[in-house]
Amino acid sequence: MKTTDRRVPTRRQFLATTAGATAGMASWLALGKAPAHAQKRELTFLSWNHFVPASDDELRKQAEAFGKANNCTVRVDTMAHLQMPSKIAAEAQSQSGHDMYRTASADPFLYENLLITMDDVVEKVGKQGGGWYSFAAESCQTKSGWKAIPWFWVSFPGTYNMAHFKKAGFEHPPKTWDELLKQGKVLKKQGNPVGIPISHCSDAHSTYWSVAWSQGAKVLEADGKTPGIVSDKTAQVIEWYKDLYTNAMEPEVLSWDDAGNNRFILSGKGSWIHNPISPYNAALANKQPIADDINHHNSPGGPAGIHSAPPNLSMGIWKFSKNQELAKEFIVYLFQKQNFDAWIVASNAFNHPPLKNLADHPIWARNPKFAMLPKEAEYAHPRGWPAKPSEAVQRIDDNYIMADMVAKAVNGMPTKRAMDWAQEQIALAVKGQLKVQ
């Protein structure tokens, strides 16, 4: 088609246009970089060093694919998870750092005023995925909206060595925490103790909350403001820990990091740990014969039923990020079914989806040792339950109050004094007077 109405610029218009362009180019050259519209965008994401390293490989692979499709770069930085709270606190304090990060537990409440609201992304992704598990959703829903989007959760079953249990004459692994205590005493005498961390690591939280809830104990009352530690139920939990520590475990549990229980079961000495499937996956990956002996069972229960506190990992976007919309697009991309399925496979069933339609992946049925893992969702609560997740809950975990209470008791502090100490610390957490460690 021939153009017939194009206007020819006047000489004055031509000079004005070229003068402006020349000035702009001069500024560009002086700065030594391309103008903003010509620069390639870079999205930065801070996550943890995954316990199944192939997951980080898959995340970076998907980040690269997203970058190519959207003319940007996605940089995924990872670090030890126990270092993340202080790193995140530093970014919050300086209002600078990554665009988005992997949040944990009640982080969205601790940084509620510094994270963008993600209601639009949550609605879009949630609707496509058939809705969220409530325990995952509650970890992100603050009074001012969704301050993060649930990413994945990690089932926290019992992991045990079948050969040791068989040698001890047990027909099945423990169904209750009291049964674990009884079996553990026999197993320790056999030379195969059980192990639960009583130390500054996140696994210590996951187990304490599970044991306490199963016994009917709580940390906070349902109002979320009143400490609920000092009670007969908590005293029973502490006495159980003391008995287990003395008669069924080794003192090393006081210094374990989150890999301590993995090393313990993989050494061949340990008979039982409360832990995700990462040791089994490591044994498979390294072709260790002990993989044949390791198996899993649902988290034990108690007089108040079976309750579990699985790690809930989410994704939050800082308000100071200049790439908020790009970050949202990347999150939507990660939740595309083919991408999330690949994420599950890369973890070899470690990463559980928070969306119900993604939870029926065949990987859990394919291996009988994984078959019971999805059922853990039925027992799950966010940390703090029966209280809602809150800033105080995150401060309680970040300061290892529950682990320290138990550690003091097993080292000789009277149970009542240990509970009183914890009650005081929790009161400070509720007032926002405990710093993030």
Side-chain angles (χ1 to χ4, degrees), residues 88 92 95 101 103 106-119 138-148 316-320 389-392 394-395:
I88 293 164
Q95 301 275 299
Y101 76 97
T103 73
D107 254 0
F109 296 81
L110 186 60
Y111 298 113
E112 182 176 354
N113 296 327
L114 295 172
L115 295 168
I116 70 165
T117 302
M118 299 178 67
D119 293 15
E138 288 176 24
S139 296
C140 299
Q141 284 179 293
T142 73
K143 287 181 293 186
S144 53
W146 292 73
K147 290 296 181 176
I317 304 170
W318 290 117
K319 281 185 176 176
F320 57 73
S390 66
E391 177 181 339
Q394 191 61 41
R395 293 184 187 279

Side-chain angles (χ1 to χ4, degrees), residues 46 86 149 161 165 309 333 416:
L46 176 63
S86 58
I149 185 168
N161 186 312
F165 272 69
Y333 178 80
K416 180 66 168 60

